């Protein structure tokens, strides 16, 4: 029996984008001796799924089409039970909504949602859905001041559920290179 914590990541897809790149970077650096990771894509795999699989992490696709699909709830719950997930980590509003319903069906101990940005323009129905999802969520992690304000002020997420971890940049990867020599004057 593994003593590693089993974390299931749930996203819409792994197409090329900021949220998706952040998830792949997170998966690339997580301590795999402590965490056993799996990834679920509600809609489709996407080009970044190959990077995830190269890390030895399985990617499952559920084939969700546009709109509300209640059949996703038991399908995602079955996936979580099959992976014996301790924690469900959702990314984006749709994954958060479907994922927040899973705690009762799949037996996960905690649901963490990362709010990567702000729904723009403001849509009251989406804010209400995010608020309801957050009621069923253990913690909501915001990645910026803007996403914190949206969660707190527009979606009315309880402050006790909010934590901010700012998006980081790999300074080694993006540091300016030193000039080889000074230009002649």
């Amino acid at each position: 029996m593994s003593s590693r914590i089993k974390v299931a990541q749930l996203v819409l897809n792994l197409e090329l984008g900021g949220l998706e790149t952040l998830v792949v970077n997170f998966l690339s650096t997580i301590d795999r001796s402590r965490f056993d990771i799996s990834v679920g894509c509600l809609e489709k795999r996407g080009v970044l799924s190959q990077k995830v699989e190269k890390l030895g992490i399985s990617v499952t696709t559920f084939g969700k089409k546009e709109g509300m699909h209640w059949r996703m709830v038991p399908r995602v719950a079955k996936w979580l039970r099959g992976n014996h997930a301790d924690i469900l980590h959702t990314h984006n509003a749709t994954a958060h909504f479907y994922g927040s319903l899973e705690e009762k069906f799949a037996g996960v101990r905690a649901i963490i949602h990362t709010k990567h940005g702000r729904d723009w323009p403001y849509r009251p129905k989406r804010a209400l859905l995010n608020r309801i999802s957050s009621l069923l969520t253990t913690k909501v992690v915001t990645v910026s001041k803007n996403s914190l304000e949206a969660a707190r002020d527009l979606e009315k997420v309880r402050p006790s559920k909010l934590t901010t971890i700012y998006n980081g940049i790999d300074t080694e990867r993006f540091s300016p290179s030193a000039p080889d020599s000074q230009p002649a004057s």
Side-chain angles (χ1 to χ4, degrees), residues 8-76:
Q9 301 281 327
L10 187 62
V11 296
L12 271 182
N13 59 57
L14 288 170
E15 288 294 356
L16 193 57
L19 172 158
E20 298 80 4
T21 300
L22 186 133
V23 169
V24 172
N25 289 341
F26 171 73
L27 296 175
S28 300
T29 58
I30 193 166
D31 183 350
R32 300 289 295 283
S33 69
R34 294 182 56 212
F35 300 98
D36 182 10
I37 306 293
S38 58
V39 175
C41 296
L42 287 173
E43 296 178 343
K44 60 183 179 178
R45 296 172 62 78
V47 297
L48 295 176
S49 64
Q50 295 170 0
K51 287 187 174 190
V52 172
E53 288 176 327
K54 283 182 183 175
L55 296 169
I57 298 170
S58 69
V59 177
T60 301
T61 305
F62 299 102
K64 180 189 170 306
K65 304 292 183 213
E66 197 160 323
M68 183 70 67
H69 295 282
W70 291 107
R71 74 179 189 280
M72 286 294 120
V73 175
R75 290 180 73 193
V76 173

Side-chain angles (χ1 to χ4, degrees), residues 92-181:
N92 117 339
T94 303
H96 188 204
F97 173 73
Y98 285 103
S100 68
L101 301 174
E102 303 304 330
E103 186 174 32
K104 302 296 183 228
F105 298 110
V108 296
R109 295 187 316 207
I111 297 175
I112 309 299
H113 174 65
T114 297
K115 184 166 183 60
H116 292 269
R118 173 184 200 141
D119 294 326
W120 193 258
Y122 175 68
R123 295 178 290 195
K125 286 181 184 176
R126 175 65 61 98
L128 178 61
L129 228 88
N130 288 342
R131 182 179 186 187
I132 292 167
S133 298
S134 295
L135 292 171
L136 303 169
T137 302
T138 311
K139 272 292 189 198
V140 175
V141 178
T142 61
V143 300
S144 66
K145 181 180 178 189
N146 184 268
S147 62
L148 171 65
E149 290 168 350
R152 184 190 62 218
D153 302 338
L154 301 175
E155 298 167 3
K156 308 297 184 200
V157 177
R158 288 191 317 224
S160 63
K161 286 196 175 194
L162 293 169
T163 298
T164 300
I165 302 174
Y166 292 102
N167 271 342
I169 300 212
D170 181 350
T171 57
E172 293 295 317
R173 183 173 174 209
F174 293 103
S175 64
S177 52
D180 292 338
S181 62

